[in-house]
CSV table of all heavy atoms in Angstrom, one decimal:
chain,number,residue,atom,x,y,z
A,247,ASN,N,6.3,8.6,-4.5
A,247,ASN,CA,6.3,7.5,-5.4
A,247,ASN,C,5.3,6.4,-5.1
A,247,ASN,O,4.5,5.9,-5.9
A,247,ASN,CB,7.7,6.9,-5.6
A,247,ASN,CG,8.6,7.9,-6.3
A,247,ASN,OD1,8.1,8.8,-7.0
A,247,ASN,ND2,9.9,7.7,-6.0
A,248,LYS,N,5.2,6.1,-3.7
A,248,LYS,CA,4.3,5.1,-3.3
A,248,LYS,C,2.9,5.6,-3.5
A,248,LYS,O,2.0,4.7,-3.9
A,248,LYS,CB,4.6,4.9,-1.7
A,248,LYS,CG,4.8,3.4,-1.3
A,248,LYS,CD,5.1,3.3,0.1
A,248,LYS,CE,4.0,2.5,0.8
A,248,LYS,NZ,4.1,2.5,2.3
A,249,PHE,N,2.7,6.8,-3.2
A,249,PHE,CA,1.3,7.4,-3.4
A,249,PHE,C,0.9,7.4,-4.8
A,249,PHE,O,-0.2,6.9,-5.1
A,249,PHE,CB,1.3,8.9,-2.9
A,249,PHE,CG,0.1,9.7,-3.2
A,249,PHE,CD1,-1.2,9.3,-2.7
A,249,PHE,CD2,0.1,10.7,-4.2
A,249,PHE,CE1,-2.3,10.1,-3.0
A,249,PHE,CE2,-1.1,11.4,-4.4
A,249,PHE,CZ,-2.3,11.1,-3.8
A,250,LEU,N,1.8,7.8,-5.8
A,250,LEU,CA,1.4,7.7,-7.2
A,250,LEU,C,1.1,6.4,-7.7
A,250,LEU,O,0.2,6.1,-8.4
A,250,LEU,CB,2.5,8.4,-8.0
A,250,LEU,CG,2.5,9.9,-7.9
A,250,LEU,CD1,3.8,10.5,-8.6
A,250,LEU,CD2,1.2,10.6,-8.4
A,251,ALA,N,2.0,5.4,-7.2
A,251,ALA,CA,1.7,4.0,-7.5
A,251,ALA,C,0.3,3.5,-7.0
A,251,ALA,O,-0.4,2.8,-7.8
A,251,ALA,CB,2.8,3.1,-7.0
A,252,LYS,N,0.0,3.9,-5.9
A,252,LYS,CA,-1.3,3.6,-5.4
A,252,LYS,C,-2.5,4.1,-6.1
A,252,LYS,O,-3.4,3.4,-6.5
A,252,LYS,CB,-1.4,4.0,-3.8
A,252,LYS,CG,-2.8,3.7,-3.2
A,252,LYS,CD,-2.8,2.3,-2.7
A,252,LYS,CE,-4.2,2.0,-2.1
A,252,LYS,NZ,-4.3,0.6,-1.7
A,253,ILE,N,-2.4,5.4,-6.5
A,253,ILE,CA,-3.4,6.0,-7.3
A,253,ILE,C,-3.5,5.4,-8.7
A,253,ILE,O,-4.6,5.1,-9.2
A,253,ILE,CB,-3.1,7.5,-7.4
A,253,ILE,CG1,-3.1,8.3,-6.0
A,253,ILE,CG2,-4.2,8.2,-8.3
A,253,ILE,CD1,-4.4,8.2,-5.3
A,254,ASP,N,-2.4,5.2,-9.2
A,254,ASP,CA,-2.3,4.6,-10.6
A,254,ASP,C,-3.0,3.2,-10.6
A,254,ASP,O,-3.9,2.9,-11.5
A,254,ASP,CB,-0.8,4.4,-11.0
A,254,ASP,CG,-0.7,4.0,-12.4
A,254,ASP,OD1,-1.4,4.6,-13.3
A,254,ASP,OD2,0.2,3.2,-12.8
A,255,ASN,N,-2.7,2.4,-9.5
A,255,ASN,CA,-3.3,1.2,-9.4
A,255,ASN,C,-4.9,1.2,-9.3
A,255,ASN,O,-5.6,0.5,-9.9
A,255,ASN,CB,-2.7,0.6,-8.1
A,255,ASN,CG,-3.1,-0.9,-7.9
A,255,ASN,OD1,-4.1,-1.1,-7.2
A,255,ASN,ND2,-2.4,-1.8,-8.5
A,256,MET,N,-5.3,2.2,-8.4
A,256,MET,CA,-6.7,2.3,-8.2
A,256,MET,C,-7.4,2.8,-9.5
A,256,MET,O,-8.5,2.3,-9.8
A,256,MET,CB,-7.0,3.4,-7.1
A,256,MET,CG,-6.6,3.0,-5.7
A,256,MET,SD,-7.8,1.7,-5.1
A,256,MET,CE,-7.6,1.7,-3.4
A,257,VAL,N,-6.8,3.7,-10.2
A,257,VAL,CA,-7.5,4.3,-11.3
A,257,VAL,C,-7.5,3.2,-12.4
A,257,VAL,O,-8.4,3.0,-13.2
A,257,VAL,CB,-6.8,5.6,-11.9
A,257,VAL,CG1,-7.4,6.0,-13.2
A,257,VAL,CG2,-7.1,6.7,-10.8
A,258,LYS,N,-6.4,2.3,-12.5
A,258,LYS,CA,-6.5,1.3,-13.5
A,258,LYS,C,-7.6,0.2,-13.2
A,258,LYS,O,-8.2,-0.3,-14.1
A,258,LYS,CB,-5.1,0.6,-13.5
A,258,LYS,CG,-4.2,1.4,-14.5
A,258,LYS,CD,-2.8,0.8,-14.6
A,258,LYS,CE,-1.9,1.7,-15.5
A,258,LYS,NZ,-0.6,1.8,-15.1
A,259,LYS,N,-7.7,0.0,-11.9
A,259,LYS,CA,-8.8,-1.0,-11.5
A,259,LYS,C,-10.2,-0.5,-11.5
A,259,LYS,O,-11.1,-1.2,-12.0
A,259,LYS,CB,-8.4,-1.5,-10.1
A,259,LYS,CG,-9.2,-2.6,-9.6
A,259,LYS,CD,-8.7,-3.2,-8.2
A,259,LYS,CE,-9.7,-4.1,-7.5
A,259,LYS,NZ,-9.5,-4.3,-6.1
A,260,TYR,N,-10.4,0.7,-11.0
A,260,TYR,CA,-11.8,1.2,-10.9
A,260,TYR,C,-12.1,2.2,-12.0
A,260,TYR,O,-13.3,2.6,-12.2
A,260,TYR,CB,-12.0,1.8,-9.6
A,260,TYR,CG,-12.0,0.9,-8.4
A,260,TYR,CD1,-10.8,0.5,-7.8
A,260,TYR,CD2,-13.1,0.4,-7.9
A,260,TYR,CE1,-10.8,-0.3,-6.7
A,260,TYR,CE2,-13.1,-0.5,-6.8
A,260,TYR,CZ,-11.9,-0.8,-6.2
A,260,TYR,OH,-11.9,-1.6,-5.1
A,261,GLY,N,-11.1,2.8,-12.6
A,261,GLY,CA,-11.4,4.0,-13.5
A,261,GLY,C,-11.4,5.3,-12.8
A,261,GLY,O,-11.4,6.3,-13.5
A,262,TYR,N,-11.3,5.4,-11.5
A,262,TYR,CA,-11.3,6.6,-10.8
A,262,TYR,C,-10.9,6.4,-9.4
A,262,TYR,O,-10.9,5.2,-8.9
A,262,TYR,CB,-12.7,7.2,-10.8
A,262,TYR,CG,-13.7,6.4,-10.1
A,262,TYR,CD1,-14.1,6.5,-8.8
A,262,TYR,CD2,-14.3,5.2,-10.7
A,262,TYR,CE1,-14.9,5.7,-8.0
A,262,TYR,CE2,-15.2,4.4,-10.1
A,262,TYR,CZ,-15.5,4.6,-8.7
A,262,TYR,OH,-16.3,3.8,-8.1
A,263,CYS,N,-10.7,7.4,-8.6
A,263,CYS,CA,-10.6,7.2,-7.1
A,263,CYS,C,-10.7,8.5,-6.3
A,263,CYS,O,-10.5,9.6,-6.9
A,263,CYS,CB,-9.3,6.4,-6.8
A,263,CYS,SG,-7.9,7.4,-6.4
A,264,SER,N,-10.9,8.4,-5.0
A,264,SER,CA,-11.0,9.6,-4.1
A,264,SER,C,-9.8,9.4,-3.2
A,264,SER,O,-9.4,8.3,-2.8
A,264,SER,CB,-12.2,9.6,-3.3
A,264,SER,OG,-13.3,10.0,-4.2
A,265,VAL,N,-9.3,10.6,-2.8
A,265,VAL,CA,-8.3,10.7,-1.8
A,265,VAL,C,-8.8,11.6,-0.7
A,265,VAL,O,-9.2,12.7,-0.9
A,265,VAL,CB,-6.9,11.4,-2.4
A,265,VAL,CG1,-5.9,11.5,-1.3
A,265,VAL,CG2,-6.5,10.6,-3.6
A,266,VAL,N,-8.7,11.1,0.6
A,266,VAL,CA,-9.0,11.9,1.7
A,266,VAL,C,-7.7,12.2,2.5
A,266,VAL,O,-7.1,11.3,3.0
A,266,VAL,CB,-10.1,11.2,2.7
A,266,VAL,CG1,-10.4,12.1,3.9
A,266,VAL,CG2,-11.3,10.8,1.8
A,267,VAL,N,-7.4,13.6,2.5
A,267,VAL,CA,-6.1,13.9,3.0
A,267,VAL,C,-6.2,14.7,4.3
A,267,VAL,O,-6.9,15.8,4.3
A,267,VAL,CB,-5.2,14.6,2.0
A,267,VAL,CG1,-5.9,15.7,1.3
A,267,VAL,CG2,-3.8,15.0,2.5
A,268,SER,N,-5.5,14.4,5.3
A,268,SER,CA,-5.5,15.1,6.6
A,268,SER,C,-4.6,16.4,6.4
A,268,SER,O,-3.6,16.3,5.7
A,268,SER,CB,-4.7,14.4,7.7
A,268,SER,OG,-5.5,13.8,8.6
Side-chain angles (χ1 to χ4, degrees):
Chain A
N247 292 335
K248 230 178 117 187
F249 170 69
L250 286 175
K252 178 78 181 178
I253 299 296
D254 190 40
N255 187 268
M256 285 295 200
V257 172
K258 277 183 179 140
K259 185 171 165 197
Y260 293 85
Y262 64 94
C263 93
S264 285
V265 181
V266 180
V267 54
S268 255

